[in-house]
Amino acid sequence: MTSLFQILMMILGVVRTVIIIHFIMSWLISFGVLNMRQPIVAQIWDGLNRLLEPLYGPIRRMLPQMGGIDLSPVVALLGIYALQIILTNNAALFY
């Protein structure tokens, strides 16, 4: 059961890292540091969007419209941190 706990924590860590990369990349695209006309940038951006949309979609439907501000990555990160805290506090159940 310890390995199940470690696998869950690893998956949550990977998802957290992908969300942070997506968040930073969106800011770099917004400020013109990254150009979407470059094929590699467009492919990475499209891949990240396809990967994270199943996570962001339900969150976006629950949140009110914020006038162009997307808070779904922040809510997703808070949810991941909360899940990690819950798993860590209940780690004794996995042993």
Side-chain angles (χ1 to χ4, degrees):
M1 289 302 268
T2 303
S3 41
L4 178 64
F5 173 75
Q6 291 173 345
I7 290 170
L8 288 173
M9 294 301 283
M10 180 189 61
I11 290 171
L12 290 174
V14 168
V15 171
R16 182 181 64 218
T17 304
V18 170
I19 290 173
I20 291 171
I21 290 170
H22 184 256
F23 183 77
I24 291 171
M25 193 170 176
S26 71
W27 278 91
L28 292 175
I29 290 171
S30 296
F31 289 124
V33 176
L34 292 178
N35 187 357
M36 286 295 291
R37 292 187 195 111
Q38 294 176 346
I40 189 72
V41 173
Q43 286 178 347
I44 292 171
W45 181 249
D46 186 49
L48 287 174
N49 281 331
R50 288 182 184 197
L51 188 65
L52 292 172
E53 186 56 36
L55 180 66
Y56 289 165
I59 297 171
R60 285 183 180 136
R61 284 191 293 273
M62 289 175 22
L63 290 176
Q65 295 293 328
M66 299 292 289
I69 298 174
D70 187 16
L71 294 179
S72 57
V74 175
V75 173
L77 280 175
L78 288 174
I80 289 171
Y81 282 127
L83 193 54
Q84 283 182 330
I85 290 170
I86 291 169
L87 286 174
T88 304
N89 289 339
N90 296 313
L93 298 175
F94 290 96
Y95 295 112

